[in-house]
């Protein structure tokens, strides 16, 4: 039993642990998936904005056509019209010759520029000045725009940083970190750029590459034919409510599943035992054993009756004890069926003996619910009539618990009216009180086995058996003492004045076929 429990406990722990590990994995998977989704959305939104900006720049550059001149009015109009453009001017032989502000930029020589061929087939130049990105068209006009503006107003707050790369040159145009990331993640990002960028640049069918490290989600998204936006998001900067919701639902579902499984499992087990009992009643795996009771008055221990004790043998040969399955039958509402089966068996088994020996009786044990209606009274009455027995040959054994239940009173009265005898079982263990003894007027009192055991010892409890017998004598009842196992106990009970003895010293409960009664019993 202990081993079985330990194995179930270990199994349960393994299941729980697996569930926890599984939940953690699912949680991580879903969190990563969710993170990716957020970063993807942010990157895409951002790259759409960058594309818009680029489109705007090329629209402006397309309007700046030869003859090349320093047309301040045109420049100002364009800047007014396209809010992202900060400056427009002319560059000749790599030297800025004119711009809107006509200030410090004039006569500046641009050394650090890159060239690329745009989709119109023309060669453009670009360079950075602080946060300003500048692109010049083949005619020598340039436009400047402010990258910071983009970051502050367009990039989502969760975006940790981004870089913009020219697709043809593979050069980084602009780089911005809002949230610092680990050096190792920075290295991963660089490696990602190096490995994937060219592929992304060449392969027109792929528009997105994503990569997940422990802390950071990277994305490379093409904006248009000219550039690639590499953005990344640090997991710490994504609000947790956006990420964990889905995984929590899964955890909750999993937990709920385990809980309901446990509840169902318990219910199912409970049902199984109940169903077993139902089929045991049907298939007659239930049988009766009879323990003879002997007369202590004449010194010859003559058998004067039997106690009927129910037995349940499982298919595998094991027995289930009645003090286990009788309460189970009560809990499961099977008492009526079980008692009906027991009474049928008792009369079938014992009627030949009882008919032959009218002085013999059978004690039948009863549970509280048996007395809630007149069913039992009717059944006993019918059987007594059917087998032509005397009602006094039937003794109903009731515990004090049964007697004190208010619903039982009518049934008990009806039993007595029918001439069936009443016995108080396990006397001395319940709320024994003299008042109900007087009211009930029982025919038999069975003193519980524990008093016999105590009578073996010394001290005050050893006196209880004698005191109980003495008390019972006042009610003119037949006094039975249960559980007598030794000759000393038998002698003691005899001496104390008990009328009837029951116990292993004389007989153990046996099947009717094994009842080996002395010849004297056969005499009427
Ligand atoms: P109980 O009514 O007190 O029955 C007496 C119990 O004491 C029986 O146990 C019997 O086998 C056992 N017994 C008899 N002599 C001795 C002895 O010398 N020493 C010891 N140690 N035990 C002895 P059993 O058959 O296991 O029944 C246990 C209980 O289950 C019964 O206690 C009774 O409350 C209940 N029960 C048994 N059969 C039925 C039945 O047909 N219907 C109902 N409702 N309850 C039953
Ligand atoms: Ca009994
Ligand atoms: Ca008893």
């Amino acid at each position: 039993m202990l081993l079985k429990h330990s194995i179930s406990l270990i199994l349960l722990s393994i299941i729980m642990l697996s569930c926890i590990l599984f939940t953690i994995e699912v949680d991580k998977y879903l969190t990563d998936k969710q993170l990716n989704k957020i970063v993807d959305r942010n990157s895409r939104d951002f790259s759409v904005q960058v594309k818009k900006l680029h489109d705007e720049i090329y629209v402006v550059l397309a309007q700046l056509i030869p003859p090349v001149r320093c047309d301040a009015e045109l420049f100002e109009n364009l800047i007014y019209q396209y809010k992202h453009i900060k400056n427009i001017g002319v560059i000749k032989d790599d030297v800025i010759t004119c711009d809107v502000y006509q200030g410090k930029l004039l006569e500046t020589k641009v050394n650090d520029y890159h060239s690329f061929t745009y989709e119109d087939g023309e060669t453009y130049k670009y360079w950075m000045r602080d946060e300003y990105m500048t692109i010049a068209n083949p005619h020598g006009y340039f436009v400047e725009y402010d990258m910071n503006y983009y970051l502050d107003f367009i990039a989502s707050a969760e975006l940790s940083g981004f870089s913009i790369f020219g697709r043809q040159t593979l050069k980084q145009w602009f780089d911005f970190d809002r949230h610092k990331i680990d050096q190792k993640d920075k290295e991963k990002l660089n490696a990602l750029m190096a490995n994937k960028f060219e592929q992304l640049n060449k392969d027109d069918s792929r528009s997105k590459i994503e990569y997940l490290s422990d802390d950071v989600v990277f994305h490379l998204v093409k904006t248009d034919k000219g550039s690639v936006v590499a953005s990344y998001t640090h997991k710490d900067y994504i609000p947790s409510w956006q990420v964990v919701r889905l995984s929590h639902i899964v955890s909750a579902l999993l937990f709920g599943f385990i809980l309901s499984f446990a509840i169902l499992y318990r219910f199912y087990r409970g049902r199984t035992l109940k169903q077993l009992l139902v089929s045991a009643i049907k298939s007659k795996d239930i049988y009766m054993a009879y323990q003879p009771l002997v007369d202590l008055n004449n010194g010859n221990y003559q058998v004067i009756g039997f106690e009927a004790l129910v037995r349940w043998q499982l298919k595998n040969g094991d027995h289930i004890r009645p003090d286990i399955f009788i309460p189970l039958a009560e809990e499961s509402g099977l008492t009526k069926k079980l008692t009906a089966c027991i009474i049928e068996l008792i009369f079938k088994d014992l009627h030949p003996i009882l008919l032959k020996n009218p002085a013999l009786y059978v004690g039948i044990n009863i549970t509280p619910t048996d007395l809630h209606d007149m069913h039992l009274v009717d059944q006993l009455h019918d059987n007594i009539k059917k087998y032509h027995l005397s009602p006094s040959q039937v003794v109903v054994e009731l515990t004090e618990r049964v007697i004190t239940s208010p619903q039982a009173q009518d049934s008990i009265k009806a039993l007595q009216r029918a001439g069936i005898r009443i016995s108080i079982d396990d006397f001395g263990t319940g709320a024994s009180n003299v008042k109900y003894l007087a009211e009930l007027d029982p025919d038999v009192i069975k003193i519980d086995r524990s008093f016999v055991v105590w009578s073996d010892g010394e001290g005050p409890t050893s006196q209880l058996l004698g005191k109980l017998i003495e008390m019972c004598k006042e009610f003119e009842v037949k006094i039975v003492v249960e559980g007598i196992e030794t000759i000393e106990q038998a002698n003691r009970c005899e001496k104390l004045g008990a009328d009837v003895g029951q116990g292993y010293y004389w007989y153990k409960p046996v099947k009717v076929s094994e009842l080996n009664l002395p010849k004297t019993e056969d005499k009427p």
Side-chain angles (χ1 to χ4, degrees):
M1 197 67 173
L2 198 70
L3 187 74
K4 256 188 176 173
H5 272 126
S6 313
I7 291 173
S8 342
L9 210 71
I10 292 169
L11 263 173
L12 202 75
S13 309
I14 292 172
I15 292 172
M16 285 305 279
L17 200 73
S18 316
C19 285
I20 290 168
L21 289 177
F22 179 70
T23 311
I24 290 172
E25 277 309 303
V26 170
D27 199 85
K28 195 169 142 28
Y29 172 76
L30 289 175
T31 306
D32 285 351
K33 229 177 127 78
Q34 189 78 352
L35 269 173
N36 245 322
K37 231 168 108 179
I38 293 168
V39 175
D40 190 37
R41 192 191 60 218
N42 291 342
S43 296
R44 276 182 186 284
D45 287 354
F46 185 66
S47 64
V48 164
Q49 297 303 327
V50 174
K51 181 176 164 29
K52 262 193 198 158
L53 170 70
H54 286 180
D55 287 347
E56 202 172 292
I57 288 161
Y58 288 109
V59 165
V60 174
L61 284 170
Q63 294 177 44
L64 297 164
I65 48 170
V68 179
R69 58 202 172 90
C70 195
D71 186 342
E73 200 182 330
L74 171 69
F75 296 169
E76 271 172 30
N77 271 341
L78 286 172
I79 288 172
Y80 180 72
Q81 212 175 327
Y82 299 96
K83 60 181 188 293
H84 305 311
I85 311 290
K86 298 293 171 213
N87 195 4
I88 301 180
V90 176
I91 179 166
K92 200 162 186 273
D93 302 326
D94 301 338
V95 175
I96 292 172
T97 57
C98 133
D99 80 341
V100 173
Y101 307 107
Q102 292 293 340
K104 61 176 178 150
L105 275 186
L106 290 180
E107 307 307 327
T108 312
K109 178 145 175 93
V110 180
N111 299 314
D112 188 22
Y113 66 78
H114 307 282
S115 308
F116 66 97
T117 312
Y118 187 56
E119 57 189 8
D120 56 9
E122 301 286 351
T123 301
Y124 286 68
K125 289 175 180 171
Y126 71 88
W127 64 91
M128 293 292 298
R129 181 176 67 82
D130 303 328
E131 267 78 56
Y132 294 93
M133 173 87 192
T134 315
I135 299 185
N137 72 12
H139 315 300
Y141 287 108
F142 70 84
V143 296
E144 239 182 24
Y145 56 96
D146 183 356
M147 292 304 293
N148 272 338
Y149 173 87
Y150 270 79
L151 210 64
D152 293 342
F153 294 102
I154 293 168
S156 124
E158 292 135 25
L159 208 72
S160 293
F162 66 90
S163 306
I164 298 176
F165 291 82
R167 285 191 58 196
Q168 293 176 13
T169 55
L170 306 186
K171 288 276 188 248
Q172 184 178 297
W173 288 355
F174 188 78
D175 179 38
F176 180 83
D177 283 347
R178 183 188 273 146
H179 308 136
K180 287 286 167 252
I181 59 172
D182 249 18
Q183 196 48 37
K184 67 174 176 34
D185 284 325
K186 196 83 187 172
E187 280 159 18
K188 271 184 187 162
L189 179 62
N190 289 338
L192 178 75
M193 298 294 181
N195 293 337
K196 307 279 185 180
F197 183 70
E198 267 188 81
Q199 180 197 340
L200 186 74
N201 195 26
K202 280 180 204 141
D203 181 1
D204 274 346
S205 65
R206 297 192 65 170
S207 62
K208 184 186 92 177
I209 291 175
E210 62 193 45
Y211 183 79
L212 195 69
S213 89
D214 288 343
D215 297 322
V216 184
V217 192
F218 303 122
H219 272 260
L220 295 182
V221 182
K222 284 181 188 177
T223 55
D224 58 11
K225 286 188 176 162
S227 62
V228 169
V229 172
S231 58
Y232 65 88
T233 301
H234 198 291
K235 286 179 190 174
D236 289 353
Y237 293 95
I238 297 181
S240 56
W241 61 266
Q242 283 194 27
V243 183
V244 291
R245 217 178 43 197
L246 205 60
S247 51
H248 279 183
I249 290 169
V250 170
S251 312
L253 280 177
L254 208 69
F255 180 72
F257 175 74
I258 293 169
L259 200 72
S260 19
F261 178 78
I263 292 168
L264 277 177
Y265 181 71
R266 260 197 78 88
F267 175 72
Y268 181 70
R269 267 176 66 93
R271 261 174 54 124
T272 317
L273 205 61
K274 184 182 159 188
Q275 278 169 350
L276 268 178
L277 186 58
V278 171
S279 62
I281 295 169
K282 272 195 203 137
S283 66
K284 305 278 159 53
D285 287 345
I286 301 276
Y287 66 91
M288 300 309 294
Y290 301 95
Q291 187 177 28
L293 297 113
V294 301
D295 189 356
L296 299 181
N297 288 325
N298 300 326
N300 61 356
Y301 300 141
Q302 192 182 336
V303 173
I304 58 158
F306 312 94
E307 177 170 7
L309 295 158
V310 68
R311 297 289 176 259
W312 177 13
Q313 187 169 24
L314 296 176
K315 300 273 185 254
N316 66 9
D318 287 351
H319 273 94
I320 297 187
R321 283 172 35 194
D323 41 6
I324 303 283
F325 73 84
I326 297 283
L328 172 78
E330 264 201 286
E331 270 170 37
S332 323
L334 289 171
T335 300
K336 251 192 193 165
K337 270 197 187 127
L338 182 62
T339 304
C341 163
I342 286 171
I343 289 172
E344 197 189 316
L345 286 171
I346 293 172
F347 279 93
K348 226 191 226 160
D349 286 346
L350 284 189
H351 80 267
I353 298 174
L354 293 178
L355 205 58
K356 222 164 154 192
N357 305 279
L360 292 182
Y361 70 88
V362 58
I364 300 174
N365 291 288
I366 290 303
T367 41
T369 28
D370 287 325
L371 295 183
H372 285 179
D373 56 37
M374 292 297 151
H375 196 82
L376 175 88
V377 185
D378 294 343
Q379 205 193 353
L380 287 174
H381 186 74
D382 291 351
N383 274 287
I384 289 166
K385 250 175 107 178
K386 179 177 165 190
Y387 292 109
H388 311 292
L389 301 173
S390 154
S392 63
Q393 286 182 288
V394 175
V395 176
V396 172
E397 296 195 3
L398 310 170
T399 59
E400 289 158 279
R401 191 162 67 96
V402 182
I403 295 161
T404 46
S405 117
Q407 294 124 305
Q409 300 311 317
D410 290 347
S411 298
I412 295 173
K413 292 265 149 51
L415 285 169
Q416 286 175 319
R417 271 200 305 274
I420 292 166
R421 289 190 285 166
I422 299 293
S423 164
I424 296 177
D425 204 357
D426 302 339
F427 187 73
T429 58
S432 315
N433 86 52
V434 183
K435 183 173 157 274
Y436 80 72
L437 265 188
E439 275 172 13
L440 188 70
D441 186 24
D443 304 277
V444 181
I445 288 179
K446 294 182 82 173
I447 294 174
D448 191 70
R449 181 178 162 259
S450 50
F451 296 97
V452 179
V453 175
W454 287 332
S455 76
D456 283 339
E458 293 185 0
T461 48
S462 66
Q463 306 299 312
L464 285 174
L465 179 63
K467 293 224 161 77
L468 273 182
I469 292 174
E470 220 172 278
M471 187 184 116
C472 293
K473 286 240 177 256
E474 299 197 2
F475 293 95
E476 293 178 346
V477 289
K478 209 187 253 292
I479 302 165
V480 182
V481 180
E482 295 183 303
I484 297 171
E485 294 181 354
T486 64
I487 186 164
E488 291 80 19
Q489 290 169 345
N491 290 338
R492 198 178 303 137
C493 292
E494 239 179 306
K495 227 165 65 209
L496 288 170
D499 301 306
V500 180
Q502 180 185 355
Y504 297 164
Y505 172 61
W506 294 287
Y507 301 98
K508 287 198 165 177
V510 290
K511 284 183 185 169
V512 67
S513 56
E514 293 160 16
L515 270 180
N516 189 13
L517 301 176
K519 290 265 172 317
T520 44
E521 252 89 347
D522 290 338
K523 290 179 197 156

